[in-house]
Amino acid sequence: IQARAAERIADPLQRCLAFPDIPGNHWPAGHAAAHCRYHFAHKPPSLAEIAAMLDAGDVAKLEALADASQQRHFSEQDFGEDIHGIFDRAVFDASPESDRVTAKWLERMPGSAYANLARGQFLASSAWDARGGKYASETPRASLRRMSELAGEAIPYLEKALKINPRLMPAYTILINIGMMDSREDVENDAFE
């Protein structure tokens, strides 16, 4: 009955918080609520929302949103991982719209760690898209070459983002993924260090 009632709640955080514990559950007190807050308290913006801010000329709002997410990553009172959600492949994918949005952000704010990170993520996503989902042995050489070119284009943006803000954790994870994807052990190791 409680689960059915919770399902009717539109807000994702409140819906999650309203769910009863599974019978027989032995989680520590507060664990389920912490899980809900971790996943739903700070919803990262979608590509469409980021595009709307840029198209409206509200770059300061976008930068402030990214700053707040970055600060939460290192906060002991209001911890959140939403900085990773903003710069995820699901947001900055290999689409033409992601290309347009990241290029526009970078054009408006070339010295922004976040604009450089977004562009780097778009290019990394494009590299994954070029590679495809098959085993390397089943992937055409031209696709692997294109993947490597795009990975190479992404790296300087990610490195610039880290030069501006060395605590920008998503840049490290993207570089590690690029290193693994393109067998660039030096990139992977440097990011891991």
Side-chain angles (χ1 to χ4, degrees), residues 31-63:
H31 181 80
H35 171 83
C36 292
R37 286 188 182 83
Y38 176 81
H39 286 283
F40 301 113
H42 302 287
K43 180 184 173 280
S46 66
L47 181 61
E49 291 167 331
I50 292 169
M53 285 183 248
L54 287 169
D55 292 342
D58 207 350
V59 183
K61 179 180 178 181
L62 179 55
E63 290 280 320

Side-chain angles (χ1 to χ4, degrees), residues 16 19-20 25 30 44 54 57 59 117-118 121 133 171:
C16 184
F19 263 90
N25 170 14
L54 287 169
V59 183
L117 175 57
Q121 177 59 75

Side-chain angles (χ1 to χ4, degrees), residues 4-19:
R4 283 190 200 127
E7 279 294 323
R8 291 190 286 271
I9 299 171
D11 179 79
L13 175 59
Q14 295 307 315
R15 181 174 52 246
C16 184
L17 290 169
F19 263 90

Side-chain angles (χ1 to χ4, degrees), residues 147-160:
M147 173 202 72
S148 192
E149 290 168 6
L150 289 163
E153 288 179 40
I155 292 168
Y157 289 107
L158 298 165
E159 289 174 341
K160 184 174 180 182

Side-chain angles (χ1 to χ4, degrees), residues 53-137:
M53 285 183 248
L54 287 169
D55 292 342
D58 207 350
V59 183
K61 179 180 178 181
L62 179 55
E63 290 280 320
L65 188 145
D67 269 339
S69 294
Q70 172 69 4
Q71 289 171 15
R72 272 192 295 279
H73 183 82
F74 293 98
S75 171
E76 291 187 23
Q77 289 75 37
D78 187 31
F79 177 77
E81 290 280 9
D82 50 306
I83 189 70
H84 290 281
I86 294 173
F87 297 100
D88 189 75
R89 283 175 60 192
V91 176
F92 294 111
D93 57 11
S95 69
E97 179 64 357
S98 185
D99 184 14
R100 181 189 79 79
V101 168
T102 60
K104 187 172 197 170
W105 192 355
L106 196 59
E107 178 186 306
R108 296 225 171 137
M109 299 284 292
S112 162
Y114 306 119
N116 280 279
L117 175 57
R119 189 65 181 170
Q121 177 59 75
F122 159 71
L123 290 164
S125 294
S126 298
W128 278 109
D129 194 57
R131 188 208 180 287
K134 294 184 177 181
Y135 292 110
S137 62

